[in-house]
Amino acid sequence: MSALFRLTATETKLFFREPIVVFFALAFAPILLVVLGLIPAMREVSAELGGIRAINAYVPVVVAMGLALFALNGLALLFASYREKGVLRRMQTTPVKPIVMISAQIVMATILSVVMMLIMVAIGRFAYDVNLPKQLLAYLISYLLAALAMFAVGLLVASLAPSGKSASAIGTLVFFPLVFFAGLWVPRAAMNDVLRTISDLTPLGAAVQSLQDATAGTWPQLLHWAVLLGWTIVAGGLAARYFRWE
Amino acid sequence: MAIIEVNNLVKRYGDYTAVNGVSFAVEQGEIFGILGPNGAGKTTTVECIEGLRDPNGGSIRVCGLDPHRDTDELRQLLGVQLQKSELPDKLKVGEAMELYSSFYRDPADWRELIETLNLTSKLNSQFRSLSGGQKQRLSIALALVGNPKVAVLDELTTGLDPQARRDAWDLIESIRDRGVTILMVTHFMEEAERLCDRLALIDSGRLVALDTPAGLVSKVDDTQRIRFRPSAPLDHAVLNALPEVTAVEQAGSQLVVTGTGNLLLAVTTVLAHNQVVAGDLRVEQTTLDDAFVALTGRRIES
């Protein structure tokens, strides 16, 4: 427990010493939300989006994008470069088990990304009058499931990438389709059936729909939570399977 | 009882046999060296001892533990300094020590350790700002923070300047004085000769010889050569009459006396007796380097 606590505290300190990583993992998504909200058209009710304002539809999308940035640019890069530099190998010679190291990273990433999510929900509420999630518990569960699924994908990228640089490249490559299906360019409500079905099966598509449902006050569909859990189990399992100390 | 026992160790990577039937035992309190050229199987051998690699054959015991099966317990007893291993760039020395000491059941006082290793002034420095020697010292501190019974040091002084290397040697001796048994891997002859109580010479995955540094040298050849410029002419017959002397040659103004045993004492006694002073006197002995060439048929640095 003490090793896990120390590792989490140390990793968090180190995270905040990397301004560029902090910017992309933590600040970029909230800034994007602020910028989107400043566009007048975003604050108008859109028939295409089922009669809600565009900014309301975009809060969950940007929240989900924030998770993807954290997982793919933060976590994956960090882990792969630790391996490349032999940081993990040195740790392997101590009594600390790999699961403790991975847990520390996930605890840190979860806490920081929950804070980021709260900031974005607050920006939506106070700057742009977006209503708070009506089903708070469902919103939180959906968010945590989405976070786990994305961190598992991030760790899988880190496990497969041969170096820190390639983790960063693969992370970016994975990022764009994921945020596309989350609805960053074409909102899910505006997608055709084929695209929306694919989106349902991607971690961020499922995440966005669950967050939207919880915001609107209905419990998310079982399908979307199952998709998130599925990604966590499959990607997490593969990440553990292909995990290398060196 | 030996603290490390290696019996008939075999480790293969695919078709390539990196370690092929190596056996040795390290006694408690020893500085034991594994010496050999690059690619000889030194690092693979210690990685099997550290439980980082699973051997294909043979057995290993460290403090009575099987490194592969009792890995958890081994980690508490064995301190490891790896050949290539860094820390996160922006991790500070003090933070690293605090972090690593939290990993162990019964950690050493890391502040005292840092003091011993002369790093106290660097407590708030980030890893990336340390010099090569400081990084190595920190690496040793991390290997010792768990209060290990055995420390394994792999190519500790590679890449250090001569002064830092000498400092590291003093340090290793002081670690042994704390009661830690040291297993070190090196390809520096001078280092092996200066530090190690005993050496295992490994070449192409096989144990070539196992002895004290002096023992290895004498096993090969104990011929010595003395060169000097006599202050007055000296009859070669006087020297040739000594049982230790095998040959006397004149090389310009110098005399070269070849022989065995306590050659220097015998020759200087005769010189004193004949009131001849030996100018520019030099003794050339077989070195560990020569022994290595004789035992393996090639030079170590190649």
Side-chain angles (χ1 to χ4, degrees), chain B residues 250-282:
Chain B
Q250 187 83 37
S253 65
Q254 287 192 327
L255 267 187
V256 181
V257 183
T258 315
T260 55
N262 210 337
L263 182 66
L264 183 63
L265 180 68
V267 171
T268 48
T269 309
V270 167
L271 292 180
H273 195 72
N274 290 279
Q275 289 171 341
V276 174
V277 177
D280 298 336
L281 180 114
R282 273 192 297 141

Side-chain angles (χ1 to χ4, degrees), chain A residues 8 55 61 85 92-93 107 136 139 141 143 152 185 196 228:
Chain A
T8 310
I55 188 70
V61 175
K85 294 181 60 181
Q92 193 193 359
T93 69
V107 170
L136 258 181
Y139 193 89
I141 294 173
Y143 186 79
W185 290 284
R196 198 177 312 115
L228 291 175

Side-chain angles (χ1 to χ4, degrees), chain B:
Chain B
M1 198 195 84
I3 198 158
I4 301 176
E5 285 174 83
V6 176
N7 278 313
N8 224 353
L9 178 68
V10 177
K11 176 66 190 173
R12 281 185 283 270
Y13 300 112
D15 288 342
Y16 175 68
T17 305
V19 179
N20 194 357
V22 167
S23 303
F24 59 86
V26 179
E27 300 298 324
Q28 186 150 7
E30 251 188 326
I31 299 183
F32 188 94
I34 297 183
L35 182 71
N38 290 330
K42 306 184 298 282
T43 295
T44 303
T45 303
V46 293
E47 282 176 346
C48 290
I49 293 172
E50 292 158 357
L52 297 179
R53 300 207 185 280
D54 191 12
N56 296 100
S59 72
I60 301 177
R61 286 287 177 279
V62 180
C63 307
L65 302 170
D66 176 345
H68 184 60
R69 225 188 37 224
D70 314 315
T71 316
D72 290 354
E73 190 56 26
L74 181 80
R75 299 267 168 268
Q76 298 281 354
L77 302 176
L78 192 76
V80 175
Q81 180 264 328
L82 293 167
Q83 201 179 126
K84 273 180 231 130
S85 166
E86 293 185 34
L87 284 170
D89 275 342
K90 297 187 179 174
L91 188 63
K92 293 177 184 170
V93 170
E95 291 168 349
M97 294 305 296
E98 205 171 357
L99 177 64
Y100 276 69
S101 68
S102 78
F103 296 167
Y104 293 91
R105 205 162 47 207
D106 173 31
D109 177 354
W110 63 262
R111 286 175 193 281
E112 187 240 304
L113 206 53
I114 281 295
E115 183 77 49
T116 315
L117 289 157
N118 232 337
L119 283 169
T120 304
S121 63
K122 292 283 165 193
L123 272 182
N124 279 312
S125 302
Q126 295 184 348
F127 181 75
R128 58 178 174 166
S129 71
L130 302 179
S131 72
Q134 288 162 349
K135 284 180 182 172
Q136 292 293 49
R137 292 208 302 270
L138 176 58
S139 184
I140 298 177
L142 292 175
L144 296 179
V145 78
N147 253 334
K149 284 193 160 52
V150 181
V152 183
L153 310 173
D154 194 352
E155 301 276 3
L156 181 67
T157 62
T158 301
L160 294 188
D161 61 59
Q163 184 55 47
R165 185 171 295 160
R166 280 186 173 69
D167 291 345
W169 292 348
D170 290 340
L171 191 66
I172 292 169
E173 286 179 327
S174 74
I175 296 166
R176 188 252 299 271
D177 295 341
R178 297 164 76 104
V180 180
T181 305
I182 292 169
L183 175 64
M184 60 184 293
V185 171
T186 183
H187 67 270
F188 288 118
M189 288 295 176
E190 203 191 341
E191 183 166 291
E193 207 157 8
R194 152 82 203 273
L195 275 181
C196 297
D197 298 313
R198 286 192 307 143
L199 282 171
L201 209 67
I202 292 185
D203 187 36
S204 307
R206 291 182 178 279
L207 184 73
V208 178
L210 177 66
D211 209 332
T212 61
L216 280 179
V217 170
S218 65
K219 199 172 272 179
V220 177
D221 185 10
D222 66 345
T223 304
Q224 306 161 42
R225 200 174 286 125
I226 302 176
R227 291 171 177 273
F228 60 93
R229 198 163 18 79
S231 60
L234 183 71
D235 188 357
H236 292 189
V238 186
L239 292 171
N240 270 323
L242 293 167
E244 288 88 354
V245 172
T246 51
V248 182
E249 287 168 70
Q250 187 83 37
S253 65
Q254 287 192 327
L255 267 187
V256 181
V257 183
T258 315
T260 55
N262 210 337
L263 182 66
L264 183 63
L265 180 68
V267 171
T268 48
T269 309
V270 167
L271 292 180
H273 195 72
N274 290 279
Q275 289 171 341
V276 174
V277 177
D280 298 336
L281 180 114
R282 273 192 297 141
V283 182
E284 292 165 6
Q285 276 180 307
T286 310
T287 60
L288 201 49
D289 238 332
D290 301 324
F292 187 84
V293 175
L295 288 165
T296 66
R298 58 200 177 102
R299 301 202 67 81
I300 194 164
E301 324 268 6
S302 56

Side-chain angles (χ1 to χ4, degrees), chain A residues 7 78-103 105 158-162 239-246, chain B residues 47 51-53 71-72 75 82 84-86 100 103:
Chain A
L7 260 176
L78 199 75
F79 233 80
S81 62
Y82 272 12
R83 184 180 54 230
E84 194 179 7
K85 294 181 60 181
V87 174
L88 295 182
R89 188 141 168 76
R90 186 199 295 272
M91 212 158 267
Q92 193 193 359
T93 69
T94 73
V96 162
K97 295 194 175 57
I99 186 72
V100 180
M101 178 67 181
I102 293 173
S103 306
Q105 301 278 355
S159 290
L160 295 178
R241 166 75 183 74
Y242 291 108
F243 179 84
R244 290 161 294 142
W245 286 100
E246 50 177 325
Chain B
E47 282 176 346
L52 297 179
R53 300 207 185 280
T71 316
D72 290 354
R75 299 267 168 268
L82 293 167
K84 273 180 231 130
S85 166
E86 293 185 34
Y100 276 69
F103 296 167

